[in-house]
Coordinates of all heavy atoms in Angstrom, one line a residue:
M64 N 13.6 -0.5 -24.8 CA 14.2 -0.8 -23.5 C 13.1 -0.8 -22.4 O 12.3 0.1 -22.3 CB 15.2 0.3 -23.2 CG 15.8 0.1 -21.8 SD 17.0 1.5 -21.4 CE 18.5 0.7 -21.8
P65 N 13.1 -1.8 -21.6 CA 12.1 -1.9 -20.5 C 12.3 -0.8 -19.5 O 13.5 -0.4 -19.2 CB 12.2 -3.3 -20.0 CG 13.6 -3.7 -20.4 CD 14.0 -3.0 -21.6
T66 N 11.3 -0.4 -18.8 CA 11.4 0.5 -17.7 C 11.0 -0.1 -16.4 O 10.2 -1.1 -16.4 CB 10.5 1.8 -17.9 OG1 9.2 1.3 -18.0 CG2 10.9 2.5 -19.2
V67 N 11.6 0.4 -15.3 CA 11.3 -0.2 -14.0 C 10.1 0.5 -13.4 O 9.3 -0.1 -12.8 CB 12.5 0.0 -13.1 CG1 12.2 -0.4 -11.7 CG2 13.7 -0.8 -13.6
V68 N 9.9 1.8 -13.6 CA 8.8 2.6 -13.1 C 7.9 3.0 -14.3 O 8.4 3.6 -15.2 CB 9.3 3.8 -12.3 CG1 8.2 4.7 -11.8 CG2 10.3 3.4 -11.2
N69 N 6.6 2.7 -14.2 CA 5.7 3.0 -15.3 C 5.3 4.5 -15.2 O 5.4 5.1 -14.1 CB 4.5 2.1 -15.3 CG 3.7 2.1 -14.1 OD1 3.7 3.0 -13.3 ND2 2.9 1.1 -14.0
S70 N 4.7 5.0 -16.2 CA 4.4 6.4 -16.3 C 3.4 6.9 -15.2 O 3.5 8.0 -14.7 CB 3.9 6.8 -17.7 OG 2.8 6.1 -18.1
P71 N 2.3 6.1 -14.9 CA 1.5 6.6 -13.8 C 2.2 6.8 -12.5 O 1.9 7.8 -11.8 CB 0.4 5.5 -13.6 CG 0.4 4.8 -15.0 CD 1.8 4.9 -15.5
L72 N 3.2 6.0 -12.1 CA 3.9 6.1 -10.9 C 4.8 7.4 -11.0 O 5.0 8.1 -10.1 CB 4.7 4.9 -10.6 CG 5.4 4.9 -9.2 CD1 4.4 5.1 -8.1 CD2 6.1 3.6 -9.0
V73 N 5.4 7.6 -12.2 CA 6.2 8.8 -12.4 C 5.4 10.0 -12.2 O 5.8 11.0 -11.6 CB 6.9 8.8 -13.8 CG1 7.5 10.1 -14.1 CG2 7.9 7.6 -13.9
G74 N 4.1 10.0 -12.7 CA 3.2 11.1 -12.5 C 2.9 11.4 -11.0 O 2.5 12.5 -10.7
Q75 N 3.0 10.4 -10.2 CA 2.7 10.5 -8.8 C 3.9 10.9 -7.9 O 3.8 11.1 -6.7 CB 2.0 9.3 -8.2 CG 0.7 9.0 -8.8 CD 0.1 7.7 -8.4 OE1 0.8 6.7 -8.1 NE2 -1.2 7.6 -8.3
A76 N 5.1 10.9 -8.5 CA 6.3 11.2 -7.8 C 6.3 12.5 -7.0 O 6.7 12.5 -5.9 CB 7.5 11.1 -8.7
S77 N 5.7 13.5 -7.6 CA 5.7 14.8 -6.9 C 4.8 14.7 -5.7 O 5.1 15.3 -4.6 CB 5.2 15.9 -7.8 OG 3.9 15.7 -8.3
D78 N 3.7 14.0 -5.7 CA 2.8 13.8 -4.6 C 3.6 13.0 -3.5 O 3.5 13.3 -2.3 CB 1.5 13.0 -4.9 CG 0.5 13.9 -5.5 OD1 0.5 15.2 -5.3 OD2 -0.4 13.4 -6.2
L79 N 4.3 12.0 -3.9 CA 5.1 11.2 -3.0 C 6.1 12.1 -2.3 O 6.2 12.0 -1.0 CB 5.8 10.0 -3.7 CG 6.4 8.9 -2.9 CD1 5.4 8.2 -2.0 CD2 7.1 7.9 -3.8
D80 N 6.8 12.9 -3.0 CA 7.8 13.8 -2.4 C 7.2 14.8 -1.5 O 7.8 15.1 -0.4 CB 8.5 14.6 -3.5 CG 9.5 13.8 -4.3 OD1 9.9 12.7 -3.9 OD2 9.9 14.2 -5.4
A81 N 5.9 15.2 -1.8 CA 5.2 16.2 -0.9 C 4.4 15.5 0.2 O 3.7 16.2 1.0 CB 4.3 17.0 -1.8
R82 N 4.5 14.2 0.3 CA 3.7 13.5 1.3 C 2.2 13.7 1.1 O 1.5 13.8 2.1 CB 4.2 13.8 2.7 CG 5.6 13.4 3.0 CD 6.1 13.8 4.3 NE 5.3 13.1 5.3 CZ 5.4 13.3 6.6 NH1 6.2 14.2 7.1 NH2 4.7 12.6 7.4
N83 N 1.8 13.9 -0.1 CA 0.4 14.1 -0.5 C -0.1 12.8 -1.1 O 0.3 12.4 -2.2 CB 0.3 15.3 -1.5 CG -1.1 15.6 -1.9 OD1 -2.0 15.4 -1.1 ND2 -1.3 15.9 -3.1
Y84 N -1.1 12.2 -0.4 CA -1.6 10.9 -0.9 C -3.1 11.0 -1.0 O -3.9 10.4 -0.3 CB -1.3 9.8 0.1 CG 0.2 9.8 0.6 CD1 0.5 10.2 1.8 CD2 1.2 9.5 -0.3 CE1 1.8 10.2 2.3 CE2 2.5 9.5 0.1 CZ 2.8 9.9 1.4 OH 4.2 9.9 1.7
P85 N -3.6 11.8 -2.0 CA -5.1 12.0 -2.2 C -5.8 10.7 -2.4 O -5.3 9.8 -3.2 CB -5.2 12.9 -3.4 CG -3.9 12.7 -4.2 CD -2.9 12.3 -3.2
G86 N -6.9 10.5 -1.7 CA -7.6 9.3 -1.8 C -8.8 9.4 -2.8 O -9.8 8.6 -2.7
D87 N -8.8 10.4 -3.7 CA -9.9 10.6 -4.5 C -10.2 9.5 -5.6 O -11.3 9.3 -6.0 CB -9.8 12.0 -5.2 CG -8.5 12.2 -5.9 OD1 -7.5 11.5 -5.6 OD2 -8.5 13.0 -6.8
L88 N -9.2 8.7 -5.9 CA -9.3 7.6 -6.8 C -9.3 6.2 -6.2 O -9.3 5.2 -6.8 CB -8.3 7.7 -7.9 CG -8.4 8.9 -8.8 CD1 -7.2 8.9 -9.8 CD2 -9.7 9.0 -9.5
G89 N -9.1 6.2 -4.9 CA -9.1 5.0 -4.1 C -8.4 5.2 -2.8 O -7.4 5.9 -2.8
T90 N -8.9 4.6 -1.7 CA -8.3 4.8 -0.4 C -7.6 3.6 0.1 O -7.7 2.5 -0.4 CB -9.4 5.2 0.6 OG1 -10.3 4.1 0.7 CG2 -10.2 6.5 0.1
M91 N -6.9 3.8 1.2 CA -6.2 2.7 1.8 C -7.3 1.6 2.3 O -7.0 0.4 2.2 CB -5.4 3.2 3.0 CG -4.5 2.1 3.6 SD -3.1 1.7 2.5 CE -2.2 3.2 2.5
E92 N -8.4 2.1 2.8 CA -9.5 1.2 3.2 C -9.9 0.4 2.1 O -10.1 -0.8 2.2 CB -10.7 2.0 3.8 CG -10.4 2.8 5.1 CD -10.6 1.9 6.3 OE1 -11.0 0.8 6.2 OE2 -10.3 2.5 7.4
M93 N -10.1 1.0 0.9 CA -10.5 0.2 -0.3 C -9.4 -0.8 -0.7 O -9.7 -2.0 -1.0 CB -10.7 1.2 -1.5 CG -11.9 2.1 -1.3 SD -12.0 3.4 -2.5 CE -12.2 2.5 -4.0
S94 N -8.2 -0.4 -0.6 CA -7.1 -1.3 -0.9 C -7.0 -2.5 0.0 O -6.8 -3.6 -0.4 CB -5.7 -0.5 -0.9 OG -5.7 0.5 -1.9
L95 N -7.3 -2.2 1.3 CA -7.3 -3.3 2.3 C -8.4 -4.3 1.9 O -8.2 -5.5 2.0 CB -7.5 -2.8 3.7 CG -7.6 -3.9 4.8 CD1 -6.3 -4.8 4.8 CD2 -7.8 -3.2 6.1
N96 N -9.6 -3.8 1.5 CA -10.6 -4.7 1.1 C -10.2 -5.6 -0.1 O -10.5 -6.8 -0.1 CB -11.9 -4.0 0.8 CG -12.6 -3.4 2.0 OD1 -12.5 -4.0 3.1 ND2 -13.3 -2.3 1.8
V97 N -9.6 -5.0 -1.0 CA -9.1 -5.7 -2.2 C -8.0 -6.8 -1.8 O -8.1 -7.9 -2.3 CB -8.5 -4.7 -3.3 CG1 -7.8 -5.5 -4.4 CG2 -9.6 -3.8 -3.8
L98 N -7.1 -6.4 -1.0 CA -6.0 -7.3 -0.5 C -6.6 -8.5 0.2 O -6.2 -9.6 0.1 CB -5.0 -6.6 0.3 CG -4.1 -5.6 -0.5 CD1 -3.4 -4.6 0.4 CD2 -3.2 -6.3 -1.5
D99 N -7.6 -8.2 1.1 CA -8.3 -9.3 1.8 C -9.0 -10.2 0.8 O -8.9 -11.5 1.0 CB -9.3 -8.8 2.8 CG -8.7 -8.2 4.0 OD1 -7.5 -8.5 4.3 OD2 -9.4 -7.4 4.7
H100 N -9.6 -9.7 -0.2 CA -10.3 -10.5 -1.2 C -9.3 -11.3 -2.0 O -9.5 -12.5 -2.2 CB -11.1 -9.6 -2.2 CG -11.7 -10.4 -3.3 ND1 -12.8 -11.1 -3.1 CD2 -11.4 -10.5 -4.6 CE1 -13.2 -11.7 -4.3 NE2 -12.3 -11.3 -5.2
I101 N -8.1 -10.7 -2.3 CA -7.1 -11.5 -3.1 C -6.6 -12.6 -2.2 O -6.4 -13.8 -2.7 CB -5.9 -10.5 -3.5 CG1 -6.4 -9.6 -4.6 CG2 -4.7 -11.3 -3.9 CD1 -5.5 -8.5 -4.9
A102 N -6.4 -12.4 -0.9 CA -5.9 -13.4 0.0 C -6.9 -14.6 0.1 O -6.5 -15.7 0.0 CB -5.5 -12.8 1.4
R103 N -8.2 -14.2 0.2 CA -9.2 -15.3 0.3 C -9.2 -16.1 -1.0 O -9.4 -17.3 -1.0 CB -10.6 -14.7 0.6 CG -10.8 -14.3 2.0 CD -12.2 -13.9 2.3 NE -12.9 -13.0 1.3 CZ -12.8 -11.7 1.4 NH1 -12.2 -11.1 2.4 NH2 -13.4 -11.0 0.5
T104 N -9.1 -15.4 -2.1 CA -9.1 -16.1 -3.4 C -7.9 -17.0 -3.5 O -8.1 -18.1 -4.1 CB -9.2 -15.1 -4.6 OG1 -10.4 -14.2 -4.4 CG2 -9.2 -15.7 -5.9
C105 N -6.8 -16.5 -3.1 CA -5.6 -17.4 -3.1 C -5.8 -18.7 -2.3 O -5.5 -19.8 -2.8 CB -4.4 -16.6 -2.5 SG -3.7 -15.3 -3.6
V106 N -6.4 -18.5 -1.1 CA -6.7 -19.7 -0.3 C -7.6 -20.7 -1.1 O -7.4 -21.9 -1.2 CB -7.3 -19.3 1.0 CG1 -7.8 -20.5 1.8 CG2 -6.3 -18.6 1.9
E107 N -8.7 -20.1 -1.6 CA -9.6 -20.9 -2.4 C -9.0 -21.6 -3.6 O -9.4 -22.8 -3.9 CB -10.8 -20.0 -2.9 CG -11.7 -19.5 -1.8 CD -12.6 -18.4 -2.3 OE1 -12.6 -18.1 -3.5 OE2 -13.4 -17.9 -1.4
Q108 N -8.0 -21.0 -4.2 CA -7.4 -21.6 -5.4 C -6.1 -22.3 -5.1 O -5.5 -22.9 -6.0 CB -7.1 -20.4 -6.4 CG -8.3 -19.7 -6.9 CD -9.3 -20.6 -7.7 OE1 -8.8 -21.4 -8.5 NE2 -10.5 -20.6 -7.3
G109 N -5.8 -22.4 -3.8 CA -4.6 -23.1 -3.4 C -3.3 -22.4 -3.8 O -2.3 -23.1 -4.1
V110 N -3.3 -21.1 -3.9 CA -2.2 -20.3 -4.3 C -1.5 -19.7 -3.0 O -2.2 -19.4 -2.0 CB -2.6 -19.2 -5.2 CG1 -1.4 -18.3 -5.6 CG2 -3.2 -19.8 -6.5
H111 N -0.2 -19.5 -3.0 CA 0.6 -19.0 -1.9 C 0.0 -17.7 -1.5 O -0.3 -16.8 -2.3 CB 2.0 -18.8 -2.4 CG 3.0 -18.7 -1.3 ND1 3.3 -17.6 -0.6 CD2 3.7 -19.7 -0.6 CE1 4.2 -17.8 0.3 NE2 4.4 -19.1 0.3
T112 N -0.2 -17.4 -0.2 CA -0.9 -16.2 0.3 C 0.0 -15.2 1.0 O -0.4 -14.2 1.5 CB -2.0 -16.6 1.3 OG1 -1.5 -17.3 2.4 CG2 -3.1 -17.5 0.6
D113 N 1.3 -15.5 1.2 CA 2.1 -14.7 2.0 C 2.2 -13.2 1.5 O 2.1 -12.3 2.3 CB 3.6 -15.2 2.1 CG 3.7 -16.4 3.0 OD1 2.7 -16.8 3.6 OD2 4.8 -16.9 3.1
L114 N 2.4 -13.0 0.2 CA 2.5 -11.6 -0.3 C 1.2 -10.8 0.0 O 1.3 -9.7 0.5 CB 2.9 -11.6 -1.7 CG 3.1 -10.2 -2.3 CD1 4.2 -9.4 -1.5 CD2 3.6 -10.3 -3.7
P115 N 0.0 -11.3 -0.5 CA -1.2 -10.5 -0.2 C -1.4 -10.3 1.3 O -1.9 -9.2 1.7 CB -2.3 -11.2 -0.9 CG -1.8 -12.5 -1.3 CD -0.3 -12.5 -1.3
R116 N -1.1 -11.3 2.1 CA -1.4 -11.1 3.5 C -0.4 -10.1 4.1 O -0.8 -9.3 5.0 CB -1.2 -12.4 4.2 CG -2.4 -13.4 4.0 CD -2.2 -14.7 4.7 NE -3.1 -15.7 4.3 CZ -4.3 -16.0 4.9 NH1 -4.7 -15.3 5.9 NH2 -5.0 -16.9 4.4
Q117 N 0.8 -10.1 3.7 CA 1.8 -9.1 4.1 C 1.4 -7.7 3.7 O 1.5 -6.7 4.5 CB 3.2 -9.4 3.6 CG 4.3 -8.4 4.1 CD 4.5 -8.5 5.6 OE1 4.4 -9.5 6.2 NE2 4.7 -7.3 6.2
M118 N 1.0 -7.6 2.4 CA 0.5 -6.3 2.0 C -0.7 -5.8 2.8 O -0.8 -4.6 3.1 CB 0.2 -6.3 0.5 CG 1.4 -6.6 -0.4 SD 1.1 -6.9 -2.1 CE 0.4 -5.4 -2.6
A119 N -1.6 -6.7 3.1 CA -2.8 -6.3 3.9 C -2.3 -5.9 5.3 O -2.9 -4.9 5.9 CB -3.7 -7.5 4.0
T120 N -1.3 -6.5 5.9 CA -0.8 -6.2 7.2 C -0.3 -4.7 7.2 O -0.5 -3.9 8.1 CB 0.2 -7.2 7.7 OG1 -0.4 -8.5 7.8 CG2 0.8 -6.8 9.0
I121 N 0.5 -4.4 6.1 CA 1.0 -3.1 6.0 C -0.1 -2.1 5.8 O -0.1 -1.0 6.4 CB 2.0 -3.0 4.8 CG1 3.2 -3.9 5.1 CG2 2.4 -1.6 4.5 CD1 4.1 -4.2 3.9
A122 N -1.1 -2.4 5.0 CA -2.3 -1.5 4.8 C -3.0 -1.3 6.2 O -3.4 -0.2 6.5 CB -3.2 -2.1 3.8
E123 N -3.2 -2.4 6.9 CA -3.8 -2.2 8.3 C -3.0 -1.3 9.2 O -3.6 -0.5 9.9 CB -3.9 -3.6 8.9 CG -5.0 -4.5 8.3 CD -4.9 -5.9 8.8 OE1 -3.9 -6.3 9.4 OE2 -5.8 -6.7 8.5
R124 N -1.7 -1.4 9.1 CA -0.9 -0.5 9.9 C -1.1 1.0 9.5 O -1.2 1.9 10.3 CB 0.6 -0.9 9.9 CG 1.5 -0.1 10.7 CD 2.9 -0.6 10.8 NE 3.7 0.3 11.4 CZ 5.1 0.3 11.3 NH1 5.7 -0.7 10.7 NH2 5.8 1.2 11.9
A125 N -1.1 1.2 8.2 CA -1.3 2.5 7.6 C -2.6 3.1 8.1 O -2.7 4.3 8.4 CB -1.1 2.5 6.1
I126 N -3.6 2.3 8.0 CA -5.0 2.7 8.4 C -5.0 3.1 9.9 O -5.5 4.1 10.3 CB -6.0 1.6 8.1 CG1 -6.2 1.5 6.6 CG2 -7.4 1.9 8.8 CD1 -7.0 0.3 6.1
A127 N -4.3 2.2 10.7 CA -4.2 2.5 12.2 C -3.5 3.8 12.5 O -3.8 4.4 13.5 CB -3.6 1.3 12.9
E128 N -2.6 4.1 11.6 CA -1.8 5.4 11.8 C -2.5 6.6 11.1 O -1.9 7.7 11.0 CB -0.4 5.2 11.3 CG 0.4 4.2 12.2 CD 1.9 4.1 11.9 OE1 2.4 5.1 11.4 OE2 2.5 3.1 12.2
G129 N -3.7 6.4 10.7 CA -4.5 7.6 10.2 C -4.5 7.8 8.7 O -4.9 8.8 8.2
Y130 N -4.1 6.8 7.9 CA -4.0 7.0 6.5 C -5.1 6.3 5.7 O -5.1 6.1 4.5 CB -2.7 6.5 5.9 CG -1.5 7.3 6.4 CD1 -0.7 6.8 7.4 CD2 -1.2 8.5 5.9 CE1 0.4 7.5 7.9 CE2 -0.1 9.2 6.4 CZ 0.7 8.7 7.4 OH 1.8 9.4 7.8
G131 N -6.2 5.9 6.4 CA -7.3 5.2 5.8 C -8.0 5.9 4.7 O -8.4 5.2 3.7
D132 N -8.0 7.2 4.7 CA -8.7 7.9 3.6 C -7.7 8.4 2.5 O -8.0 9.1 1.6 CB -9.4 9.1 4.2 CG -8.5 10.2 4.9 OD1 -7.4 9.8 5.2 OD2 -8.9 11.3 5.0
K133 N -6.4 8.0 2.6 CA -5.4 8.3 1.7 C -5.2 7.2 0.7 O -5.7 6.1 0.9 CB -4.1 8.6 2.4 CG -4.2 9.7 3.5 CD -4.6 11.0 2.9 CE -4.6 12.0 4.0 NZ -5.2 13.3 3.5
N134 N -4.5 7.4 -0.4 CA -4.3 6.3 -1.4 C -3.1 5.4 -0.9 O -2.5 5.7 0.1 CB -4.1 6.9 -2.8 CG -2.8 7.6 -3.0 OD1 -1.7 7.2 -2.5 ND2 -2.8 8.6 -3.8
Y135 N -3.0 4.3 -1.7 CA -2.0 3.3 -1.2 C -0.6 3.8 -1.1 O 0.2 3.2 -0.4 CB -2.1 2.1 -2.2 CG -1.5 0.8 -1.6 CD1 -2.2 0.1 -0.6 CD2 -0.2 0.4 -2.0 CE1 -1.6 -1.0 0.0 CE2 0.3 -0.7 -1.4 CZ -0.3 -1.4 -0.4 OH 0.2 -2.5 0.2
L136 N -0.2 4.8 -1.8 CA 1.2 5.4 -1.7 C 1.5 5.8 -0.3 O 2.7 5.9 0.1 CB 1.4 6.5 -2.7 CG 1.6 6.2 -4.1 CD1 1.8 7.4 -5.0 CD2 2.7 5.2 -4.3
A137 N 0.5 6.0 0.6 CA 0.7 6.4 2.0 C 1.5 5.3 2.7 O 2.1 5.5 3.8 CB -0.6 6.7 2.7
V138 N 1.6 4.1 2.1 CA 2.4 3.0 2.8 C 3.9 3.5 2.9 O 4.6 2.9 3.7 CB 2.3 1.6 2.1 CG1 0.8 1.1 2.2 CG2 2.8 1.6 0.7
F139 N 4.2 4.4 2.0 CA 5.6 4.9 2.0 C 5.9 5.5 3.4 O 7.1 5.3 3.9 CB 5.8 6.0 1.0 CG 7.1 6.6 0.9 CD1 8.2 5.8 0.5 CD2 7.3 7.9 1.2 CE1 9.5 6.4 0.5 CE2 8.6 8.5 1.1 CZ 9.7 7.7 0.8
E140 N 4.9 6.1 4.1 CA 5.2 6.6 5.5 C 5.4 5.4 6.4 O 6.2 5.6 7.3 CB 4.0 7.4 5.9 CG 3.7 8.6 5.1 CD 4.8 9.6 5.1 OE1 5.5 9.8 6.1 OE2 5.1 10.2 4.0
I141 N 4.8 4.3 6.2 CA 5.0 3.1 7.1 C 6.4 2.6 6.8 O 7.2 2.3 7.7 CB 4.0 2.1 6.8 CG1 2.6 2.6 7.0 CG2 4.2 0.8 7.7 CD1 2.3 3.3 8.3
F142 N 6.8 2.5 5.5 CA 8.2 2.0 5.2 C 9.2 2.9 5.7 O 10.3 2.5 6.2 CB 8.3 1.9 3.7 CG 7.4 0.9 3.0 CD1 7.0 1.0 1.7 CD2 7.1 -0.3 3.7 CE1 6.2 0.1 1.2 CE2 6.3 -1.2 3.1 CZ 5.8 -1.1 1.8
K143 N 9.0 4.2 5.7 CA 10.0 5.2 6.2 C 10.2 5.0 7.7 O 11.4 5.0 8.2 CB 9.6 6.6 6.0 CG 9.8 7.0 4.5 CD 9.6 8.5 4.3 CE 8.5 9.2 5.0 NZ 8.4 10.6 4.7
K144 N 9.1 4.7 8.5 CA 9.3 4.5 9.9 C 10.0 3.2 10.2 O 10.8 3.1 11.1 CB 7.9 4.4 10.6 CG 7.2 5.8 10.7 CD 5.9 5.7 11.4 CE 5.3 7.1 11.4 NZ 4.0 7.0 12.2
A145 N 9.7 2.2 9.4 CA 10.4 0.9 9.6 C 11.9 1.0 9.3 O 12.7 0.3 9.9 CB 9.8 -0.1 8.6
A146 N 12.3 2.0 8.5 CA 13.7 2.2 8.2 C 14.4 3.1 9.1 O 15.7 3.2 9.1 CB 13.9 2.7 6.7
T147 N 13.7 3.8 10.0 CA 14.3 4.7 10.9 C 14.8 4.0 12.1 O 14.1 3.2 12.8 CB 13.2 5.7 11.4 OG1 12.7 6.4 10.2 CG2 13.8 6.8 12.3
P148 N 16.1 4.1 12.4 CA 16.7 3.5 13.6 C 16.0 3.9 14.8 O 15.7 5.1 15.0 CB 18.2 3.9 13.5 CG 18.4 4.6 12.3 CD 17.1 5.0 11.7
A149 N 15.9 3.0 15.8 CA 15.3 3.4 17.1 C 16.3 4.3 17.8 O 17.5 4.1 17.8 CB 15.0 2.1 17.9
S150 N 15.7 5.2 18.6 CA 16.6 6.1 19.3 C 16.6 5.8 20.8 O 15.9 5.0 21.3 CB 16.2 7.6 19.2 OG 14.8 7.8 18.9

């Protein structure tokens, strides 16, 4: 039976719950560099760029909010803010 969440993500669930996003294996800054590279490669190859550009925009926002040295799961904090109704 196929699974929706793979085992590495399941292993990170406790960190996600604890808002702990260690950047020891990769940081948001590194992820942004990768996403920028993917977007440039998409342009060069004539492939649709909306998704990697949107992901890069979210990473840029996370970096601006102080998560640059954290891993990519820190985007969860950005998603939570986007879902919070304005007061």
Side-chain angles (χ1 to χ4, degrees):
M64 173 186 262
T66 60
V67 175
V68 178
N69 62 17
S70 60
L72 188 56
V73 170
Q75 294 175 328
S77 61
D78 279 338
L79 191 62
D80 288 341
R82 299 177 62 189
N83 179 37
Y84 314 109
D87 53 337
L88 298 177
T90 65
M91 190 70 66
E92 294 275 357
M93 293 168 64
S94 295
L95 178 58
N96 287 334
V97 169
L98 291 164
D99 286 341
H100 177 75
I101 291 169
R103 283 192 312 272
T104 301
C105 287
V106 169
E107 292 168 3
Q108 297 298 314
V110 177
H111 200 273
T112 63
D113 283 359
L114 183 58
R116 288 181 193 262
Q117 181 64 36
M118 293 171 66
T120 299
I121 293 166
E123 288 169 348
R124 182 171 168 197
I126 291 167
E128 293 192 22
Y130 297 102
D132 63 339
K133 305 298 182 191
N134 71 36
Y135 197 77
L136 284 181
V138 299
F139 182 63
E140 298 300 322
I141 305 306
F142 294 149
K143 287 192 315 186
K144 286 182 181 182
T147 304
S150 25

